[in-house]
Amino acid sequence: MKLLPFLLLILGGFCAQPALAQSGVPQKQVQYLSGRDNRPIVQWDFYCTGGRKSGFWTKIAVPSCWEQQGFGAYNYGRDYKTYGKNFRFADEQGKYKHTFRVPASWQQKRVFIVFEGSVTDTEVNINGQLAGPIHQGAFYEFKYDITDKLRSNGQDNLLEVTVSKMSANQSVNNAERLADYWVFGGIFRSVYLEAYPQQFITRTSVDGQADGRFGMQAYLRNAPANTQVQAEILDAAGKVVGTAQATTAANDTVVTLRTTVRTPQQWTSETPTLYHVRTSLKSNGNTLYQTTDKFGFRTIEIRRGKGIFVNGTQVKLKGTNRHSWWPETGRTLNDSIQLADVRLIKQMNMNAVRMSHYPPDVKFLDLCDSLGLYVLDELAGWQKAYSIKAGAPLVREMVTRDANHPSIIFWSNGNEGGTNKELDDDYALYDFSRRAVIHAHHRPGNQHNGIDTNHYENYYSTEKILQDSLIYMPTEFLHSQDDGGGGTALADFWELHRKSQRSGGGFLWALVDEGIVRTDQRGIIDVNGVNAPDGVVGPHREKEGSFYAIRDIYSPVKINLTELPAKFKGTVPVENRYHFLNLNQCAFRWELVNFRKPTDPFTGYISQQKGTAKSSAVAPLATGQLKLDLPKNWQQYDALVLSAYDPQQNLVQRWTWKTGSNTQLLSGVLSTPAKGAVQVAETDSTLMLTASNISVTFNKTNGHITGIKGNNGSTLSFANGPVMVSGKAAFTSLTHRTEADGEVVEARYTGDLNTVRWKMQGSGWLQLDYEYALPAGDYSFEGVSFTYPENYVLGAKWLGKGPYRVWKNRLQGVGLNVWENPYNDTQTGAAPWIYPEFKGYFADVVWLEMNTVEGKFLVASPDPGLYVRRFEFYGLSGVKSFPALPVGNLSFLDAIPPLGTKLALNIDTNTPNLGPSGELNHVRAGDAPKKRTLHFYFGLPQTDSKPQSYTAPVKDDLF
């Protein structure tokens, strides 16, 4: 879907309405006094009364948060909880001055000054005269009629603005500043003038229903009696498809127009078709004024106990919470950031976004309209509400600005106790379509309009709530601090919601880590401890593993095939989880590929054969089959890759399946030529095997490897294993013997470790076979560990799932390929936000090459399902990092632990309560022992295969 053309804005100049308005007729004209966005172009005179750079006149970029320009002091909204009752927020004022001129042609026009957002109490003076009442409330567009205060004929006008960081109204401070987010001061959105003819339309409020019924209220200024108000409805091609007319009576300030458009194209998040309405004031054949607004035909219904319906179809909202944010400029953004955020949300296969906890820039809503996202537009009020006096004008300002956006399906009257219920009825005063008002809350019993939005329920309480008569749609769940929440446990939660009639879906907390570049601390990025790193992307939109897990779980093209069946004929079962699109509107592409080898300098795979597939008609929420026309020799390749694309050719999801076993994938990897017999050297306490310039030393008192010399002649500090990560094993003896193809070393134990058998071949490859049987019980992990000094590690390359780490309850979002990443010590949600993290659990590893300052070593397994744990890390921060790690620091595992969320550490929801996959690994009496083979090569294997040439990857943002 193409974006609607952006309105051309000329700094210091003026422009008319978009091209859909008719030329030569009177229209609104706009002249910007500030810059449009966070790229500092327009400077105003500025005086800060306190904190940094205070007490003198200087310059400041407008718009901006003044802290980011080096003025005043920083506060996080929860500081009052941190520092106690004696805490006081920084309360400096900012005084602005700016001179401007208006065109001579504006002498006969009505002129307004518009502020899109200012934090918070804002007093505006024009040429020494108060423009109107002081505005209180930070996130709302407000304007004043300044016609009688302007100087024309080329004279300068003086704009003076005083912005008080703290409001004189305590309820405004309570609602906006006692909050779990950074609080700022300043004119942080644009300022401009609007000029109208004497008779004009101040605004419209549109109601376009899915069946084509169109209604609109046009609000008038100075329209004489018998003025004709005409609305023309235009489709995407600019063709008039419907008209409506009304005639004003004396003193009319609003008129209602109605008509019906036959079989309109309906707006949904999947089909975001937009129309325009061109509204004209006409008298005696002359057009007095004309304006154009966009809208969509769509019907939103809440059917009690049945769900949320769009155009008669039940939808489940797959949403996230989004703060308006950029690290360098705080809440002052630009169109590129707005577009990037909408695209990020769409890339996660989400269809909804909640405006937390205030209305966004209007450009963001424009993009939700044109690209397709359902929106909850929210009045500020984090956990405390505005008073009626303070809140009523802010409801009006929010709704009158945003009412015509089809993407907005509900109004949210505050967050988590920040709801003044006396304001619920106000929304309908300004919204002709009468959208429902919801209460976003964190305690039971606050449901409104048939929707329960209670936050942070666990899996089992969610299951119980979904059996109630209300619709359950949590406006926050699975808090994403650190590496928890987000995609972790989402698969279990989403299956509950997807299958429940009474689910309306839900909104993850949150999209972005709110890290601010501190201009008072040498530019560090500050997330205020554990308060602000809540996103599935970092401050500059660095993607965490949860980003891709969410994309996988929410994919509307669902393929549950985990491995190709033995008699695979190219038929792939597929499920359509779109609400409105048929799968035959999507595109599918397949590839047969060969993976690169450890000795290859490049990563990824070599695409050998490609093709496309066309899905048969698979209706929304139905199942079908996708037929791939593969060549007869398809099993000669390493893997089959299938990609699905939406009607706009955006990648929806990709699947990769092995065409054979791990043994086949290791062909050419384990085939290092032999160079003679294995040499054995034994002392009272050690046993050393040597072949092909590789030496391995075993400790005869515990059976562990104690020393390695690689084939490059250097020592490799790989040691201290194998040790069991769960269960008990007591070493008893170490023996060795010679076999035809190598030297065998056996370590014997009592307890749960049944077999440990080493074998070195003349090629230098060292094979480990082990078997263990754990007693019945629950275990965080299963397998064996070794150690290697973490500070010696340079990087890793592996064939397996990647490039991101996994948890037991977040196995989604990783793909089979050859990956490589350099060492980093990233803790998710903290500087320096280098993703993917180097350390963690990695899934389905076939081979792993570790690159160290001592040289390289390679580990491979012909057995499926190997997890590799890489070094010291944790998932969640707290008094004690969570979850605990296995012994050692380089582990080869058959089972790994689940992860919780931030709130799982603090309230009664804990990791097992996040769903079945959040439970520990169950071992039952009578379970078969676990067996695995590992192959080690200490150095760089020599093979007869030649490195493949580089092939550039397809750039479709899978990783």
Side-chain angles (χ1 to χ4, degrees), residues 211-226:
D211 60 5
R213 285 177 294 150
F214 174 86
M216 183 180 76
Q217 289 180 322
Y219 289 81
L220 313 176
R221 179 74 65 89
N222 301 326
N226 298 315

Side-chain angles (χ1 to χ4, degrees), residues 14-56:
F14 64 94
C15 57
Q17 289 245 327
L20 286 172
Q22 294 172 326
S23 62
V25 300
Q27 300 159 22
K28 177 177 72 175
Q29 293 178 314
V30 175
Q31 175 178 319
Y32 271 77
L33 303 180
S34 72
R36 283 198 58 211
D37 52 33
N38 68 356
R39 290 164 284 207
I41 297 174
V42 178
Q43 300 279 322
W44 291 9
D45 294 324
F46 185 69
Y47 181 101
C48 187
T49 63
R52 297 171 300 146
K53 292 170 64 175
S54 62
F56 58 93

Side-chain angles (χ1 to χ4, degrees), residues 416-448:
E416 294 188 349
T419 298
N420 185 334
K421 297 179 182 180
E422 298 300 318
L423 298 175
D424 284 340
D425 294 340
D426 285 21
Y427 292 81
L429 298 176
Y430 316 107
D431 176 16
F432 192 48
S433 67
R434 302 182 69 85
R435 296 171 181 87
V437 176
I438 66 168
H439 296 167
H441 55 84
H442 62 317
R443 293 188 181 91
N446 290 313
Q447 58 269 10
H448 188 64

Side-chain angles (χ1 to χ4, degrees), residues 649-684:
Q649 295 302 303
N650 299 305
L651 179 68
V652 175
Q653 184 56 14
R654 175 170 293 140
W655 304 264
T656 303
W657 300 282
K658 304 173 188 175
T659 59
S661 65
N662 280 13
T663 300
Q664 291 172 261
L665 293 176
L666 291 172
S667 175
V669 174
L670 302 180
S671 58
T672 300
K675 291 187 177 180
V678 178
Q679 304 298 315
V680 180
E682 190 170 4
T683 70
D684 289 343

Side-chain angles (χ1 to χ4, degrees), residues 26 123 225 378 461 612 725 752:
E123 177 184 310
E378 186 161 273
S461 61
T612 60
V725 298
D752 305 323

